[in-house]
């Protein structure tokens, strides 16, 4: 299937999930995750109409960023080491993986130097798996309060990763919990501005995530595919 066909297919599935849940497809954004493909394929993906590009490691993303700078919006979706912040802030337009104070302070510091505010998602480990990064749900409100003074950070939403499941239905409680956490956080008045975004849903479970309120889905395999990059 061509990248154009893959995009059309994903857009149709998004529209169907929106129809099932009474949502507007215009409220669901797609991040094309290019970590499994070459810079050239990432370029073709952008030419095929994928405007948002997601990567999870800086050195691996650098070639793509240099090639596509100014032509795509870049999303940092992987866990971020504090020492990599200087490489990422100013190049990536969004960070999906803010999950600790030391990282928040680094992002803020770098953003202030560059005179920007970085839109960030607070990553929550809803499922509680040891292998997953993110704040525990019980830590979320306290964390949100503690980053309030860091004006280099603009918190815009929450992000989570669901456990790998054979049946996507199994992921529904994780996504629904993230939606609830967003509503509760907004109702608590902890943040200066309400969060509006939910980054949740990957190739295997994005339709369920959309039915539960996702505004950003992060799609690798189903959208841009896999390539052997050692060859
Ligand atoms: C790799 C990755 C994705 C995309 O995974 P697919 O299942 O291939 O769609 C989404 N989010 C994060 C954080 C990832 O690391």
């Amino acid at each position: 299937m061509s990248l154009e066909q893959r995009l059309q297919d994903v857009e149709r599935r998004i529209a169907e999930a929106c129809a099932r849940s009474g949502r507007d497809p215009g409220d669901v954004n797609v991040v094309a995750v290019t970590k499994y493909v070459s810079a050239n394929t990432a370029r073709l993906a952008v030419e095929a109409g994928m405007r948002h590009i997601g990567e999870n490691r800086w050195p691996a993303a650098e070639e793509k960023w240099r090639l596509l700078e100014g032509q795509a919006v870049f999303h940092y979706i992987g866990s971020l080491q504090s020492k990599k912040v200087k490489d990422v802030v100013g190049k990536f337009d969004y960070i999906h993986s803010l999950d600790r104070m030391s990282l928040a302070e680094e992002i803020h510091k770098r953003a202030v130097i560059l005179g920007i505010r970085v839109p960030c998602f607070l990553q929550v480990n809803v499922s509680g798996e040891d292998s997953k990064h993110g704040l525990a749900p019980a830590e979320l409100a306290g964390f949100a309060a503690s980053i309030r003074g860091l004006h280099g950070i603009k918190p815009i939403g929450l992000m989570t990763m669901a456990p790998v499941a054979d049946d996507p239905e199994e992921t529904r409680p994780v996504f629904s919990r993230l939606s609830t956490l967003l509503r509760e956080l907004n109702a608590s008045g902890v943040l200066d501005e309400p969060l509006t975004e939910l980054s949740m849903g990957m190739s295997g479970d994005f339709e369920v995530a959309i039915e539960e309120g996702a505004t950003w889905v992060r799609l690798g395999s189903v959208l841009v595919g896999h390539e052997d990059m050692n060859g």
Side-chain angles (χ1 to χ4, degrees), residues 33 35-36 56 77 159 161 202-203 218-221:
V33 177
K35 67 186 185 197
Y36 309 119
N56 68 339
I77 62 170
M159 180 275 216
M161 290 175 77
M202 305 179 16
S203 290
R218 308 176 310 267
L219 304 178
S221 338

Side-chain angles (χ1 to χ4, degrees), residues 52-74:
H52 295 274
I53 294 293
E55 281 282 331
N56 68 339
R57 280 179 51 233
W58 169 244
E62 183 164 3
E63 189 190 353
K64 288 164 192 154
W65 183 79
R66 296 204 182 282
L67 186 65
L68 297 170
E69 183 196 350
Q71 299 169 54
V73 178
F74 276 81

Side-chain angles (χ1 to χ4, degrees), residues 58-227:
W58 169 244
E62 183 164 3
E63 189 190 353
K64 288 164 192 154
W65 183 79
R66 296 204 182 282
L67 186 65
L68 297 170
E69 183 196 350
Q71 299 169 54
V73 178
F74 276 81
H75 295 251
Y76 197 89
I77 62 170
S79 75
L80 182 53
Q81 292 172 276
S82 294
K83 66 177 187 211
K84 291 287 193 312
V85 165
K86 64 176 188 325
D87 299 320
V88 165
V89 172
K91 297 191 179 76
F92 284 76
D93 303 276
Y94 294 82
I95 295 176
H96 288 240
S97 49
L98 176 55
D99 64 355
R100 58 191 190 278
M101 199 57 199
S102 56
L103 178 60
E105 282 163 353
E106 281 304 314
I107 294 171
H108 166 72
K109 248 196 287 178
R110 191 68 191 162
V112 167
I113 291 170
L114 298 175
I116 59 174
R117 289 189 81 201
V118 184
C120 290
F121 295 82
L122 314 186
Q123 184 172 352
V124 186
N125 184 359
V126 174
S127 65
E129 287 173 287
D130 288 344
S131 60
K132 297 255 189 300
H133 292 270
L135 298 147
E139 295 171 331
L140 181 60
F143 181 74
S146 62
I147 61 171
R148 245 179 119 162
L150 305 179
H151 55 267
I153 290 177
K154 181 176 165 53
I156 59 166
L158 304 180
M159 180 275 216
T160 200
M161 290 175 77
V164 178
D166 293 332
D167 177 1
E169 272 307 316
E170 289 172 27
T171 62
R172 190 178 297 277
V174 170
F175 298 138
S176 124
R177 182 83 200 285
L178 198 71
S179 292
T180 303
L181 287 168
L182 181 113
R183 280 195 299 276
E184 288 173 355
L185 191 60
N186 286 340
S188 75
V190 162
L191 287 158
D192 299 322
E193 286 174 56
L195 303 181
T196 54
E197 308 301 319
L198 286 168
S199 169
M200 57 187 196
M202 305 179 16
S203 290
D205 54 24
F206 69 98
E207 288 146 305
V208 175
I210 290 168
E211 289 168 17
E212 296 299 329
T215 62
W216 293 87
V217 291
R218 308 176 310 267
L219 304 178
S221 338
V222 76
L223 187 56
V224 287
H226 284 256
E227 284 168 353

